Amino acid sequence: MEKEKFYITTPIFYPSNKLTLGNCYTTIICDTIARFNKMLGKDVFYLTGTDEHGQKIAKVAQDKGMEIKKYLDENILDTKELWKMLHIDYDYFIRTTDEQHEKAIQKIFTELYNRGYIYKGKYSGHYCTPCESFWTEAQLVDGKCPDCGRDVVYQEEEAYFFKLSEFGDKLLKLYEDNPNFLQPTSRVNEMVNNFIKPGLQDLCVSRTTVSWGVPVEFDPKHTIYVWIDALFNYVTALGYGSNNDELFKKYWPADLHLVGKEIVRFHAIIWPALLMALDLPLPKQIFGHGWLLFGGQKLSKSKTAGTTEVIDPRILIPRYGADSVRYILLREIPFGSDGTYSTENYLKHINTDLCNDFGNLVNRTFAMLKKYFNGVVPTPNKQEETQQDVDFINTVENAKTNAINYMKTYDVSKSLTEIFTIFNKANKYIENSTPWELAKSNQEELKNVLYNLLEAIKIGTVLLASFLTEQPSKVLNAYGIEKPSIEDIEKFGSLKSGTVIKEIGVLYPRLDIEKELKELSNL
Ligand code: MSP
């Protein structure tokens, strides 16, 4: 049977700075969702990459006194290295300076022109270079960019325009007919009230004053507006507009474009309008996630002077492991809302959740299996099963179902909470069933307790392996599971009696938080 397809994308990143924990957030959630869908048996394609044209990038390279392409090549190596450190398992990394992408963008622009959706006019208005956004006088807030609050520049130039104004009603209908198209729903109100209801304006889609961009094929003194160039990466990466569009035919439309809330309007207004203009199918969902905040601010610097807050993943990963960084980001931002990061909270969660709730549970259970059953999974004795056993099994099954269901709506943090419910209940089950007492008095019940614990750990860890990429696979290897799959956890009780499970070392070493904070502040 042909596998169900699943195509997921991150935004493509501006290589203007070194990436921070904030940027890692989008990529880690996408990676988790991609892995989870693979675990469910789907044929997944996960795309990420870099957005390399435009005024902002040209300026950054210029300020560093570097040739633009050389600057980009170095920066992209650094980005790829970071994704490797975080075990981001993407299927393709697109760069908008790739020849295939640039050629396809030129063709697409010409096609939009030929279809009558692009016309030549004159642009006069304001431009925010850091956001690469055009604004009208009325949209400015106190004369500044309404998105980032920075200065804008007034510009007048000959330019091409995309007839965005024709798409207002079509977009309203799209949101109405497909409530899933844009999530969470609060973002729909934002788009409708702030942008569509006041009236969409035609969008300026070319520049004559920006040379670092893709030239318009039929009028090369114009370069294509960087957001048009960028949005189409989602299809050019699949070969759309090239000689080989097999992947495009296979995976488009995307199941999910996951983006930060500040760029929802590009994805939920401009992108579907462009696709409609080309008669291409629309993505199934745009999800606008919240921000990781640091002291109420969106993170931007790698370290904030005078505090112990470390937000550079390149410092945290070698010290505490990729699992811990993935964990804190997936846990701390309730999906769709903002979340606050602090180094102290991060370190505390390593101790309480990873070290205690998960790591210790595994170590003590495996140690009991060795002590009481010589490391061999016992056969449970259903006749001797207690109400406590039945309740525990039901709780694990419920949490498993919830964890899977939350992932269907991409609610990663709630799903992770359900997985930890399994581990927390397993710890309580140990305390309440006191296996060390059963060892003296009731061998049959001891078999049930140990079997149920091992099965619960297996189920929780198969689920967890999409979120955390280091220690869970070590645990699963002990069970003989190389590649976690839904089939391993379909029904409680699939763990085979007689399986030999060897003890594994400490999964997450306990941290002395005071000491760590002190050391980090001295870095
Ligand atoms: N290049 C555009 C995207 C084009 S997609 C066709 C862009 N790039 S970006 O580098 O500025 O941002 C990439 C992603 O990182 C965005 O989804 C953005 O929201 C996310 N984040 C950057 N800082 C963030 C936080 N502090 N918290 C969460 N996500 C944040 O926009």
Side-chain angles (χ1 to χ4, degrees), residues 411-443:
D411 197 334
V412 178
S413 63
K414 286 220 179 91
S415 179
L416 189 54
T417 306
E418 293 292 335
I419 297 170
F420 271 76
T421 300
I422 298 180
F423 301 138
N424 291 330
K425 295 287 178 190
N427 279 312
K428 287 219 176 77
Y429 182 58
I430 297 181
E431 298 315 317
N432 294 338
S433 58
T434 56
W436 46 93
E437 297 295 339
L438 293 174
K440 294 180 217 152
S441 59
N442 189 346
Q443 274 297 314

Side-chain angles (χ1 to χ4, degrees), residues 310-344:
V310 179
I311 64 168
D312 184 350
R314 296 161 198 83
I315 296 176
L316 301 177
I317 301 166
R319 287 178 79 96
Y320 310 113
D323 276 1
S324 68
V325 172
R326 292 177 67 108
Y327 181 75
I328 199 69
L329 297 189
L330 293 167
R331 184 186 192 285
E332 284 304 87
I333 310 190
F335 211 36
S337 319
D338 293 342
T340 297
Y341 170 85
S342 87
T343 315
E344 186 172 350

Side-chain angles (χ1 to χ4, degrees), residues 215-264:
V216 172
E217 218 175 10
F218 52 86
D219 194 353
K221 73 173 186 293
H222 289 259
T223 56
I224 296 171
Y225 173 41
V226 61
W227 264 100
I228 302 293
D229 171 2
L231 286 164
F232 278 102
N233 92 89
Y234 300 131
V235 291
T236 61
L238 300 178
Y240 178 77
S242 79
N243 307 333
N244 180 357
D245 63 357
E246 288 292 299
L247 288 175
F248 175 73
K249 286 192 189 123
K250 185 170 171 191
Y251 290 107
W252 190 256
D255 291 86
L256 178 64
H257 290 316
L258 186 74
V259 303
K261 62 181 179 181
E262 81 283 15
I263 54 172
V264 164

